[in-house]
Amino acid sequence: MPQPLFILCPPRSYSSIVCAMLGQHPQCYGLPELNLFLGDTLGDIWYGTMFMRSFGKHGLLRTLAQLHDGEQTEDSVIRAQAWIEARLGWPIAKVLAHIQECVGDRILIDKSPSTLFRQEAVARVLLNYPEANLLHLTRHPRGTSESVIALREGHEGLKTLNRVLDDNDRSDPERMWRLSHELVLTMTAGLPLGNYMRLKGEWLMSNLSVYLPQICDWLDIRSDAAAIDAMMHPETSPYACPGPANAPRGNDPNFLENPRLDTARLAKLREPTLDGELSWKPGAHFDPRTVHLAKRLGYA
């Protein structure tokens, strides 16, 4: 079986649309957010955090419903829930192996931002999949942070989660951006050449005809016109829409509401600047540590 591809980045870094695009390649299978690396066993993750007790579990439920029953309905999600409850002792690698068996020899693609919630989650990725391909997707800290704030303001469920996070200062989008990328750089240092690619999301999304073939070459999969054309239609993924009432999420809510590529808009995508006041924190500017890291990642 092929090695999976894990997309590593904080939320609001284009990962939903990128995962769906790559997942439409005939040799790949894009997953919703499984959040498997928050624990060592299925039981650990299923009851381990408030995030998983809420919408964090929707991606795995939708995946199992789709793969077991060929559809995502309230009934198939209930059966997926029962399947999970009967296997809480399974190691997470066994769960992903089951999903791999269901999709055959296609490359599994996961983009769960929760993988960067804690260092031990990234360590589980590297321990269980030392040969996996890792795509480190970046976005300018200003664009990422403004997008995080806008998403929270637009969705009531995220407002509730944000109020909880406010209690321990974990909700600052700039801090989240910095810690996530520091973690990726630390944990991937020394990986074999060829297993790791770092790519600016702004470059990828504004030059799809250039970068999609390069990613195909890196993954050693087809890069012909038919394969690239399939990747230009992320909306055809079975997970590119809200799920049934008992598992409606599993991905970025904005992507679920509008999964189509707007190539004309994306072609005009430009990187913002590190200079100037932060729109979400009047009177403040980027922390010097953020500026240093952003410049290291190629931003100005």
Side-chain angles (χ1 to χ4, degrees):
M1 290 296 182
Q3 290 294 320
L5 167 65
F6 297 107
I7 300 174
L8 302 178
C9 60
R12 308 305 299 161
S13 303
Y14 308 110
S15 61
S16 295
I17 192 85
V18 170
C19 182
M21 280 193 298
L22 299 181
Q24 291 313 105
H25 188 287
Q27 294 170 265
C28 298
Y29 190 89
L31 297 160
E33 296 172 6
L34 300 183
N35 301 307
L36 280 180
F37 296 102
L38 292 174
D40 292 317
T41 68
L42 193 49
D44 288 344
I45 67 166
W46 209 244
Y47 296 108
T49 65
M50 187 189 74
F51 170 67
M52 285 302 289
R53 292 194 295 273
S54 58
F55 52 81
K57 62 174 61 174
H58 293 182
L60 183 56
L61 286 170
R62 294 184 62 180
T63 299
L64 294 172
Q66 180 69 36
L67 295 176
H68 290 171
D69 291 328
E71 61 180 4
Q72 299 167 53
T73 64
E74 290 189 47
D75 286 344
S76 65
V77 166
I78 289 172
R79 287 190 287 274
Q81 173 82 28
W83 187 95
I84 290 169
E85 295 284 354
R87 294 164 178 81
L88 294 177
W90 275 25
I92 53 175
K94 188 173 181 178
V95 179
L96 202 59
H98 171 74
I99 294 172
Q100 181 75 73
E101 184 178 10
C102 291
V103 307
D105 60 359
R106 287 177 285 177
I107 297 174
L108 292 178
I109 304 176
D110 176 75
K111 46 86 45 183
S112 304
S114 64
T115 302
L116 298 183
F117 283 2
R118 302 186 183 96
Q119 181 171 324
E120 53 265 35
V122 183
R124 289 187 185 99
V125 173
L126 300 177
L127 175 66
N128 287 284
Y129 302 96
E131 304 297 325
N133 294 303
L134 305 177
L135 175 59
H136 180 189
L137 195 62
T138 68
R139 184 180 183 183
H140 194 286
R142 186 178 298 276
T144 303
S145 299
E146 290 177 343
S147 185
V148 167
I149 296 297
L151 183 70
R152 289 173 180 169
E153 293 301 318
H155 296 271
E156 193 57 38
L158 291 176
K159 283 183 182 177
T160 302
L161 182 63
N162 195 39
R163 283 194 290 271
V164 174
L165 294 177
D166 274 344
D167 291 340
N168 52 17
D169 195 32
R170 286 187 294 156
S171 66
D172 176 20
E174 178 191 343
R175 180 176 179 271
M176 179 183 66
W177 181 94
R178 187 175 65 249
L179 294 181
S180 295
H181 287 299
E182 286 176 345
L183 183 57
V184 177
L185 293 174
T186 299
M187 300 299 287
T188 58
L191 287 181
L193 290 175
N195 287 67
Y196 172 80
M197 172 186 279
R198 186 193 308 154
L199 183 58
K200 280 186 176 182
E202 294 92 341
W203 287 3
L204 168 60
M205 298 308 298
S206 60
N207 296 280
L208 292 170
S209 62
V210 172
Y211 289 103
L212 288 181
Q214 291 186 22
I215 294 175
C216 291
D217 291 343
W218 173 54
L219 295 175
D220 196 24
I221 56 178
R222 290 169 40 196
S223 58
D224 54 81
I228 299 299
D229 183 65
M231 297 165 78
M232 296 297 288
H233 294 282
E235 72 277 8
T236 57
S237 164
Y239 310 111
C241 60
N246 49 357
R249 295 276 294 276
N251 214 323
D252 179 285
N254 287 351
F255 169 75
L256 295 177
E257 293 166 6
N258 184 19
R260 293 180 181 277
L261 284 172
D262 183 346
T263 53
R265 182 182 65 82
L266 291 171
K268 301 175 184 175
L269 200 59
R270 297 292 180 270
E271 295 174 16
T273 176
L274 292 169
D275 297 327
E277 186 177 274
L278 306 181
S279 62
W280 63 96
K281 194 185 296 183
H285 294 71
F286 279 124
D287 185 294
R289 293 170 295 179
T290 301
V291 173
H292 177 77
L293 178 58
K295 290 182 176 178
R296 182 179 173 188
L297 296 176
Y299 294 105

